[in-house]
Amino acid sequence: VLHLYRCIRLFDWLSERAWRDIMALTNLETFTYFANDFVRYLQEFRDIFDSPEPHRKPLPGRWNNRLDQFQKLLVLRCLRGDKVTNAMQDFIANNLEPRFIEPHTADLMTVFKESSTTTPLIFVLSPGTDPAADLYKFADEMKFSKKFTAISLGQGQGPLAEAMMENSIERGKWVFFQNCHLAPSWMPSLERLIEAISTDKVHRDFRLWLTSLPSNKFPVTILQNGSKMTIEPPKGFKANLLKSYGNLSDHFLNSCGKGPEFKALLLSLCLFHGNVLERRKFGPLGFNIPYEFTDGDLRICISQLKMFLNEYSVIPFKVLKYTAGEINYGGRVTDDWDRRCIMTILEDFYNPEALIKGHNFSESGIYHQIQTTCDYKGYIQYIKSLPLNDMPEIFGLHDNANITFAQNETFALLNSIIQLQPKSASNGGRNHEEIAGEVAEGILQKIPPPINLRMVMKRYPVLYEESMNTVLVQEVIRFNRLLEVMMQTLKDLLKALKGLVVMSLQLELMATSLYNNTVPELWNSKAYPSLKPLSSWVIDLLQRIHFLETWIMDGIPSVFWISGFFFPQAFLTGTLQNFARKFLISIDTISFSFQVMRETASELKVRPNEGCYICGLFLEGARWDSQALELAESRPKELYTEMAVIWLLPMSNRKSPTHGFYLCPIYKTLTRAGTLSTTGHSTNYVIAIEIPTSKSEGHWIKRGVALICALDY
């Protein structure tokens, strides 16, 4: 294995994660010699890795004929996780039927024909969708618009809704109760009303339509007896633009005093709306927190645009940007870094250049401003000419963002499959309890006993001039607490599996987590933030403890592994405290300046006189060019790269530079989102660092560039 590992590290195209997965695959009987053959056919496997359709490429050597279609999915999962969903589509189409992977449009007529007076028709709402408009249109087609009553449920609406329903049952009307999830206390009454409908007394034209978000308060009997529908929001930039223009008309486009300017900025605004909606699919690269922007946000911005253009002689771009970015869309944004991102994106669409015909909104020019003399059909024709699949360039993202999106989709799908797998074995295999017991014993053997706190406090006492001693002691206390919980719960679980103690609910959940290779919640509540699977999490924990033990035995390190801290903010505060106490300066006037070093961590043998060196960070969305000493574009398929050593140098009354730098936030995990703390920042956020760049800061903001302490593998 060690020989194979050394072989594979000679090639920079394969990530460590992929190689770990390949080595894990060899544990299966069929794949025993797969790692050996992988090195043997390295070039052929690289061709598969580089292929635009790796899921349709034959495997080299004996493996193409030896493996069935499902087993080939496992190989693809190791090499190109972003293409697993495509391969699954082929698998389903070949083994079932193509119709199982084709999207189906909602046809209210089909559902209506299958309904009855006692069968409620239920719309299960998805974020960003509202079936009300479709239902009103359908009622009009069925000549029921005058016999159609609707009410949005909420506090105090129960009696009104009840009276409306009783009246509709008698007179044969359609009744539409919207947002049932907002009236949980009235749901039992609705259940009673539906059960009380008598087939003898109800008018044959009566129908009950309901909408609700998924809610555990919604009556199960209504769900079981009703016809359920869900309408997905439009997917893709093009579909969102068509939806935005679908409610407009020639009359509206020409209703503003400044016609050409209104048409141009309206297209800009709709492009911006589609941009912020679709950025969500890229996860934290798009926004730290996935916001639910709605058509209502767009409608109010369009109204304001029309109003301001009519009222001002000169186009008030500053006012337009403030109302759209800070108030309408920005009103939903709770993260400061997301606010910076949304204002940077808006800057590209609300500016004087956007009025010029042919102005490009993307690098390739596919998304551009069209002639403002166009009528409504001209705009629809232009939108239909746009590519069906979104190009990352319109979002300002790197092409790698599509890989991140596809990988996230794959891992979410695989996690769902893991949750659905049976908990008992068949055909003589090992059962759930045996596997969980083996994992528990393996971890128990690996983790060390708690660090001797008394010895650490003796060697590193509280000193006025050295705050790092206090930081070390605090870290030891936190890691000891985690180790104690782990050792105790693992011992309890092993006893419970042997029947020596009662298997509690918490221990049962822990056993399930060990079986699924996830970190048990019992440990998570005492641990540092991490997205790693259990096997990697244990390795990472051992590395962190080794970092502390080296510090204890060899003294304060010259370069700090910032990712190894339980609470990195305490370490940063300690660094500022040392500087403040050394020079007798008030700590609230001190902040860090930043210098990215040419030297590697192993070359820096001595601590700096002031500040500290940090390492162990990963760049997402960009890479560090060690020759030019600045940010550079990521290489294809290279999602994360190691960042160079950074020197944090405290300075008093420092003024931040205005250009030549990108203010890059550091996050503990790849999700970036956390709960908002009293500082106004996410609890996942550590600090922001200025990284040199020759490009504009906005370029990297739209790229979603950030530094990450720990990856998810």
Side-chain angles (χ1 to χ4, degrees), residues 308-593:
F308 287 132
L309 288 181
N310 282 330
E311 288 186 5
Y312 287 80
S313 56
V314 179
I315 299 172
F317 283 106
K318 193 173 180 180
V319 176
L320 288 171
K321 281 187 279 197
Y322 185 82
T323 52
E326 296 284 1
I327 298 173
N328 299 331
Y329 286 89
R332 297 183 184 276
V333 178
T334 55
D335 186 287
D336 284 349
W337 300 100
D338 287 342
R339 187 175 296 277
R340 178 181 75 159
C341 181
I342 208 166
M343 292 306 294
T344 304
I345 296 166
L346 187 58
E347 193 73 44
D348 288 348
F349 295 99
Y350 258 178
N351 60 49
E353 286 78 27
L355 300 171
I356 303 166
K357 179 197 167 186
H359 170 71
N360 292 334
F361 293 109
S362 67
E363 286 181 19
S364 66
I366 290 171
Y367 302 90
H368 61 269
Q369 185 61 263
I370 64 171
Q371 198 168 343
T372 50
T373 53
C374 274
D375 59 1
Y376 176 71
K377 285 182 181 177
Y379 280 96
I380 296 295
Q381 193 175 344
Y382 162 67
I383 293 167
K384 286 182 176 177
S385 72
L386 295 174
L388 183 64
N389 296 316
D390 299 338
M391 302 173 73
E393 63 174 52
I394 185 60
F395 307 106
L397 291 163
H398 191 274
D399 287 345
N400 284 350
N402 268 342
I403 299 175
T404 304
F405 160 63
Q407 279 190 354
N408 292 342
E409 204 171 45
T410 295
F411 295 139
L413 176 61
L414 295 178
N415 284 335
S416 299
I417 292 171
I418 286 171
Q419 297 300 324
L420 294 171
Q421 70 178 334
K423 300 295 183 281
S424 57
S426 58
N427 300 328
R430 291 177 302 162
N431 63 27
H432 176 271
E433 287 79 12
E434 287 172 345
I435 294 170
E438 279 182 23
V439 174
E441 283 178 355
I443 295 172
L444 198 54
Q445 288 170 7
K446 286 177 185 174
I447 59 171
I451 299 167
N452 188 333
L453 182 61
R454 192 184 295 273
M455 179 269 289
V456 174
M457 293 177 76
K458 191 174 180 181
R459 292 187 67 168
Y460 295 91
V462 177
L463 293 175
Y464 179 79
E465 62 274 10
E466 186 50 85
S467 296
M468 286 302 145
N469 291 5
T470 307
V471 172
L472 175 61
V473 171
Q474 288 174 349
E475 288 291 310
V476 168
I477 291 169
R478 291 189 183 101
F479 276 103
N480 279 355
R481 192 184 303 140
L482 173 60
L483 288 171
E484 285 162 5
V485 168
M486 287 177 68
M487 294 179 86
Q488 187 59 51
T489 52
L490 285 168
K491 288 173 183 175
D492 289 347
L493 177 63
L494 289 169
K495 287 177 184 175
L497 290 172
K498 291 172 184 174
L500 301 174
V501 296
V502 176
M503 176 72 82
S504 67
L505 176 61
Q506 283 186 316
L507 289 176
E508 194 174 336
L509 291 172
M510 180 179 165
T512 304
S513 296
L514 297 183
Y515 180 76
N516 291 336
N517 194 28
T518 57
V519 183
E521 188 53 42
L522 276 170
W523 302 353
N524 252 335
S525 58
K526 302 289 183 186
Y528 43 84
S530 178
L531 302 176
K532 294 178 186 289
L534 180 62
S535 51
S536 302
W537 186 86
V538 172
I539 294 169
D540 180 54
L541 173 65
L542 296 175
Q543 288 173 343
R544 288 171 186 251
I545 292 168
H546 176 69
F547 166 63
L548 285 186
E549 288 174 339
T550 307
W551 182 345
I552 293 163
M553 300 309 296
D554 300 341
I556 298 173
S558 55
V559 182
F560 290 92
W561 180 38
I562 193 168
S563 308
F565 284 101
F566 214 107
F567 189 60
Q569 288 93 329
F571 156 70
L572 297 171
T573 305
T575 305
L576 292 174
Q577 259 181 3
N578 279 352
F579 183 82
R581 289 171 177 177
K582 182 177 179 180
F583 295 100
L584 303 176
I585 302 169
S586 174
I587 196 168
D588 58 1
T589 64
I590 303 171
S591 58
F592 285 117
S593 65

Side-chain angles (χ1 to χ4, degrees), residues 30 47 51 85 113 133 135 162 178-179 181 194 223 231 274 277 293 303 307 408 597 636 640 683 688 693:
T30 311
D47 293 340
S51 168
T85 47
K113 282 178 180 176
L135 186 54
E162 195 166 336
Q178 293 177 272
N179 303 320
H181 59 281
I194 293 170
L223 272 180
I231 300 174
L277 277 180
F293 298 114
S303 301
M307 180 182 74
N408 292 342
M597 307 299 290
Y640 315 109
T683 49
T693 174

Side-chain angles (χ1 to χ4, degrees), residues 117-120 165 169 187-200 202 206 208 219-225:
T117 52
T118 55
T119 306
M165 185 167 168
I169 288 170
M187 285 299 100
S189 301
L190 177 63
E191 187 177 14
R192 177 179 48 80
L193 285 168
I194 293 170
E195 286 175 354
I197 296 173
S198 170
T199 49
D200 300 331
V202 66
F206 169 74
L208 174 62
V220 176
T221 53
I222 299 179
L223 272 180
Q224 288 172 338
N225 299 327

Side-chain angles (χ1 to χ4, degrees), residues 58-120:
L59 294 175
R62 56 183 166 170
W63 297 101
N64 198 55
N65 297 324
R66 185 175 180 180
L67 302 181
D68 60 32
Q69 196 179 1
F70 181 80
Q71 289 168 329
K72 287 175 183 176
L73 281 174
L74 303 182
V75 177
L76 187 70
R77 156 72 180 79
C78 297
L79 273 182
R80 288 286 300 274
D82 56 306
K83 291 293 180 181
V84 169
T85 47
N86 302 60
M88 281 183 171
Q89 288 176 341
D90 290 354
F91 180 80
I92 291 167
N94 291 338
N95 290 279
L96 295 173
E97 288 179 39
R99 66 189 176 94
F100 285 101
I101 61 170
E102 290 167 0
H104 295 276
T105 54
D107 186 359
L108 290 181
M109 178 58 80
T110 307
V111 180
F112 179 74
K113 282 178 180 176
E114 294 174 0
S115 68
S116 70
T117 52
T118 55
T119 306

Side-chain angles (χ1 to χ4, degrees), residues 247-352:
N247 300 322
L248 306 179
S249 63
D250 266 326
H251 174 72
F252 182 78
L253 291 179
N254 298 310
S255 63
C256 179
K258 294 187 180 68
E261 291 87 349
F262 177 62
K263 286 181 180 179
L265 291 177
L266 179 62
L267 178 62
S268 281
L269 186 59
C270 291
L271 285 166
F272 167 75
H273 178 71
N275 194 313
V276 295
L277 277 180
E278 288 302 306
R279 275 186 82 92
R280 286 185 56 200
K281 75 178 184 182
F282 297 104
L285 274 176
F287 291 117
N288 291 352
I289 298 167
Y291 302 103
E292 302 289 351
F293 298 114
T294 65
D295 293 342
D297 299 321
L298 176 63
R299 280 197 299 270
I300 189 67
C301 284
I302 292 173
S303 301
Q304 288 172 341
L305 172 64
K306 185 177 172 183
M307 180 182 74
F308 287 132
L309 288 181
N310 282 330
E311 288 186 5
Y312 287 80
S313 56
V314 179
I315 299 172
F317 283 106
K318 193 173 180 180
V319 176
L320 288 171
K321 281 187 279 197
Y322 185 82
T323 52
E326 296 284 1
I327 298 173
N328 299 331
Y329 286 89
R332 297 183 184 276
V333 178
T334 55
D335 186 287
D336 284 349
W337 300 100
D338 287 342
R339 187 175 296 277
R340 178 181 75 159
C341 181
I342 208 166
M343 292 306 294
T344 304
I345 296 166
L346 187 58
E347 193 73 44
D348 288 348
F349 295 99
Y350 258 178
N351 60 49

Side-chain angles (χ1 to χ4, degrees), residues 25-57:
L25 196 60
T26 57
N27 292 323
L28 299 176
E29 189 178 339
T30 311
F31 294 91
T32 306
Y33 301 105
F34 184 75
N36 300 65
D37 281 6
F38 188 88
V39 177
R40 184 178 167 193
Y41 296 108
L42 201 62
Q43 186 54 49
E44 288 84 347
F45 276 109
R46 180 166 190 177
D47 293 340
I48 295 172
F49 179 80
D50 291 333
S51 168
E53 289 191 331
H55 55 292
R56 289 178 179 163
K57 295 274 283 186

